[in-house]
Amino acid sequence: MIYKIFYQETKERSPRREQTRALCLDIEATDELEGRIKARKLVEEKTPYNIEFIELLSDKHLEYEKESGAFELTEL
């Protein structure tokens, strides 16, 4: 399952929409909730990021991301 994580690069400043970034992770999980939990845990352990939102990408959304050229899986 591919998850898109929206985040701020630091927890020290107030979040600003203009500074929101995103990364994509491939998480092995039995269901969506387990995947979200694993994704959050992984990002919190490996980065100083302030997570805003975690989204499971549907097949259509994933295809769009790949076509847009902005899609890249991140390894943590």
PDB file of all heavy atoms in Angstrom, residues 25-39:
ATOM      1  N   LEU A  25       5.411   6.613   0.930  1.00  0.00           N
ATOM      2  CA  LEU A  25       6.014   5.409   1.502  1.00  0.00           C
ATOM      3  C   LEU A  25       5.222   4.185   1.077  1.00  0.00           C
ATOM      4  O   LEU A  25       3.998   4.224   1.013  1.00  0.00           O
ATOM      5  CB  LEU A  25       6.010   5.470   3.030  1.00  0.00           C
ATOM      6  CG  LEU A  25       6.826   6.557   3.709  1.00  0.00           C
ATOM      7  CD1 LEU A  25       6.581   6.520   5.208  1.00  0.00           C
ATOM      8  CD2 LEU A  25       8.299   6.378   3.417  1.00  0.00           C
ATOM      9  N   ASP A  26       5.931   3.103   0.811  1.00  0.00           N
ATOM     10  CA  ASP A  26       5.301   1.818   0.529  1.00  0.00           C
ATOM     11  C   ASP A  26       5.311   1.034   1.833  1.00  0.00           C
ATOM     12  O   ASP A  26       6.374   0.664   2.337  1.00  0.00           O
ATOM     13  CB  ASP A  26       6.076   1.080  -0.559  1.00  0.00           C
ATOM     14  CG  ASP A  26       5.379  -0.188  -1.009  1.00  0.00           C
ATOM     15  OD1 ASP A  26       4.245  -0.443  -0.568  1.00  0.00           O
ATOM     16  OD2 ASP A  26       5.973  -0.928  -1.820  1.00  0.00           O
ATOM     17  N   ILE A  27       4.128   0.824   2.397  1.00  0.00           N
ATOM     18  CA  ILE A  27       3.983   0.170   3.699  1.00  0.00           C
ATOM     19  C   ILE A  27       3.242  -1.149   3.521  1.00  0.00           C
ATOM     20  O   ILE A  27       2.188  -1.190   2.902  1.00  0.00           O
ATOM     21  CB  ILE A  27       3.193   1.065   4.686  1.00  0.00           C
ATOM     22  CG1 ILE A  27       3.849   2.435   4.845  1.00  0.00           C
ATOM     23  CG2 ILE A  27       3.001   0.370   6.019  1.00  0.00           C
ATOM     24  CD1 ILE A  27       5.143   2.445   5.591  1.00  0.00           C
ATOM     25  N   GLU A  28       3.810  -2.211   4.082  1.00  0.00           N
ATOM     26  CA  GLU A  28       3.117  -3.495   4.062  1.00  0.00           C
ATOM     27  C   GLU A  28       2.193  -3.552   5.265  1.00  0.00           C
ATOM     28  O   GLU A  28       2.650  -3.462   6.404  1.00  0.00           O
ATOM     29  CB  GLU A  28       4.122  -4.638   4.096  1.00  0.00           C
ATOM     30  CG  GLU A  28       4.906  -4.756   2.808  1.00  0.00           C
ATOM     31  CD  GLU A  28       5.734  -6.019   2.759  1.00  0.00           C
ATOM     32  OE1 GLU A  28       5.308  -7.037   3.341  1.00  0.00           O
ATOM     33  OE2 GLU A  28       6.792  -5.981   2.132  1.00  0.00           O
ATOM     34  N   ALA A  29       0.899  -3.704   4.998  1.00  0.00           N
ATOM     35  CA  ALA A  29      -0.090  -3.742   6.069  1.00  0.00           C
ATOM     36  C   ALA A  29      -1.294  -4.561   5.620  1.00  0.00           C
ATOM     37  O   ALA A  29      -1.552  -4.697   4.423  1.00  0.00           O
ATOM     38  CB  ALA A  29      -0.519  -2.330   6.431  1.00  0.00           C
ATOM     39  N   THR A  30      -2.041  -5.075   6.592  1.00  0.00           N
ATOM     40  CA  THR A  30      -3.223  -5.875   6.273  1.00  0.00           C
ATOM     41  C   THR A  30      -4.441  -5.010   5.991  1.00  0.00           C
ATOM     42  O   THR A  30      -5.366  -5.450   5.311  1.00  0.00           O
ATOM     43  CB  THR A  30      -3.547  -6.857   7.413  1.00  0.00           C
ATOM     44  OG1 THR A  30      -3.718  -6.111   8.624  1.00  0.00           O
ATOM     45  CG2 THR A  30      -2.437  -7.873   7.581  1.00  0.00           C
ATOM     46  N   ASP A  31      -4.456  -3.790   6.547  1.00  0.00           N
ATOM     47  CA  ASP A  31      -5.571  -2.881   6.276  1.00  0.00           C
ATOM     48  C   ASP A  31      -5.083  -1.428   6.337  1.00  0.00           C
ATOM     49  O   ASP A  31      -3.941  -1.160   6.697  1.00  0.00           O
ATOM     50  CB  ASP A  31      -6.744  -3.107   7.235  1.00  0.00           C
ATOM     51  CG  ASP A  31      -6.392  -2.912   8.697  1.00  0.00           C
ATOM     52  OD1 ASP A  31      -5.526  -2.069   9.013  1.00  0.00           O
ATOM     53  OD2 ASP A  31      -6.987  -3.602   9.539  1.00  0.00           O
ATOM     54  N   GLU A  32      -5.955  -0.493   5.980  1.00  0.00           N
ATOM     55  CA  GLU A  32      -5.585   0.917   5.887  1.00  0.00           C
ATOM     56  C   GLU A  32      -5.134   1.493   7.233  1.00  0.00           C
ATOM     57  O   GLU A  32      -4.145   2.215   7.316  1.00  0.00           O
ATOM     58  CB  GLU A  32      -6.748   1.731   5.334  1.00  0.00           C
ATOM     59  CG  GLU A  32      -6.420   3.188   5.138  1.00  0.00           C
ATOM     60  CD  GLU A  32      -7.547   3.985   4.525  1.00  0.00           C
ATOM     61  OE1 GLU A  32      -8.533   3.391   4.048  1.00  0.00           O
ATOM     62  OE2 GLU A  32      -7.425   5.211   4.525  1.00  0.00           O
ATOM     63  N   LEU A  33      -5.847   1.173   8.302  1.00  0.00           N
ATOM     64  CA  LEU A  33      -5.505   1.704   9.621  1.00  0.00           C
ATOM     65  C   LEU A  33      -4.117   1.245  10.063  1.00  0.00           C
ATOM     66  O   LEU A  33      -3.310   2.050  10.540  1.00  0.00           O
ATOM     67  CB  LEU A  33      -6.557   1.307  10.655  1.00  0.00           C
ATOM     68  CG  LEU A  33      -6.295   1.789  12.083  1.00  0.00           C
ATOM     69  CD1 LEU A  33      -6.210   3.310  12.141  1.00  0.00           C
ATOM     70  CD2 LEU A  33      -7.369   1.265  13.017  1.00  0.00           C
ATOM     71  N   GLU A  34      -3.836  -0.030   9.905  1.00  0.00           N
ATOM     72  CA  GLU A  34      -2.523  -0.552  10.281  1.00  0.00           C
ATOM     73  C   GLU A  34      -1.430   0.153   9.478  1.00  0.00           C
ATOM     74  O   GLU A  34      -0.369   0.495  10.007  1.00  0.00           O
ATOM     75  CB  GLU A  34      -2.452  -2.063  10.053  1.00  0.00           C
ATOM     76  CG  GLU A  34      -1.106  -2.656  10.406  1.00  0.00           C
ATOM     77  CD  GLU A  34      -0.960  -4.121  10.029  1.00  0.00           C
ATOM     78  OE1 GLU A  34      -1.932  -4.732   9.536  1.00  0.00           O
ATOM     79  OE2 GLU A  34       0.145  -4.639  10.225  1.00  0.00           O
ATOM     80  N   GLY A  35      -1.685   0.391   8.204  1.00  0.00           N
ATOM     81  CA  GLY A  35      -0.722   1.089   7.355  1.00  0.00           C
ATOM     82  C   GLY A  35      -0.475   2.510   7.813  1.00  0.00           C
ATOM     83  O   GLY A  35       0.669   2.980   7.839  1.00  0.00           O
ATOM     84  N   ARG A  36      -1.542   3.211   8.180  1.00  0.00           N
ATOM     85  CA  ARG A  36      -1.391   4.593   8.676  1.00  0.00           C
ATOM     86  C   ARG A  36      -0.568   4.613   9.966  1.00  0.00           C
ATOM     87  O   ARG A  36       0.285   5.473  10.164  1.00  0.00           O
ATOM     88  CB  ARG A  36      -2.756   5.223   8.939  1.00  0.00           C
ATOM     89  CG  ARG A  36      -3.488   5.629   7.692  1.00  0.00           C
ATOM     90  CD  ARG A  36      -4.865   6.189   8.061  1.00  0.00           C
ATOM     91  NE  ARG A  36      -5.696   6.333   6.910  1.00  0.00           N
ATOM     92  CZ  ARG A  36      -5.938   7.509   6.319  1.00  0.00           C
ATOM     93  NH1 ARG A  36      -5.406   8.603   6.793  1.00  0.00           N
ATOM     94  NH2 ARG A  36      -6.711   7.561   5.260  1.00  0.00           N
ATOM     95  N   ILE A  37      -0.833   3.669  10.852  1.00  0.00           N
ATOM     96  CA  ILE A  37      -0.106   3.596  12.121  1.00  0.00           C
ATOM     97  C   ILE A  37       1.370   3.318  11.867  1.00  0.00           C
ATOM     98  O   ILE A  37       2.249   3.971  12.448  1.00  0.00           O
ATOM     99  CB  ILE A  37      -0.729   2.541  13.057  1.00  0.00           C
ATOM    100  CG1 ILE A  37      -2.118   3.005  13.507  1.00  0.00           C
ATOM    101  CG2 ILE A  37       0.171   2.254  14.248  1.00  0.00           C
ATOM    102  CD1 ILE A  37      -2.952   1.937  14.200  1.00  0.00           C
ATOM    103  N   LYS A  38       1.669   2.366  10.989  1.00  0.00           N
ATOM    104  CA  LYS A  38       3.064   2.039  10.669  1.00  0.00           C
ATOM    105  C   LYS A  38       3.773   3.224  10.011  1.00  0.00           C
ATOM    106  O   LYS A  38       4.928   3.514  10.314  1.00  0.00           O
ATOM    107  CB  LYS A  38       3.130   0.823   9.748  1.00  0.00           C
ATOM    108  CG  LYS A  38       2.866  -0.487  10.436  1.00  0.00           C
ATOM    109  CD  LYS A  38       3.032  -1.635   9.460  1.00  0.00           C
ATOM    110  CE  LYS A  38       2.917  -2.980  10.135  1.00  0.00           C
ATOM    111  NZ  LYS A  38       3.141  -4.087   9.193  1.00  0.00           N
ATOM    112  N   ALA A  39       3.078   3.902   9.105  1.00  0.00           N
ATOM    113  CA  ALA A  39       3.669   5.056   8.414  1.00  0.00           C
ATOM    114  C   ALA A  39       3.994   6.161   9.416  1.00  0.00           C
ATOM    115  O   ALA A  39       5.090   6.727   9.398  1.00  0.00           O
ATOM    116  CB  ALA A  39       2.729   5.572   7.330  1.00  0.00           C
TER     117      ALA A  39
END
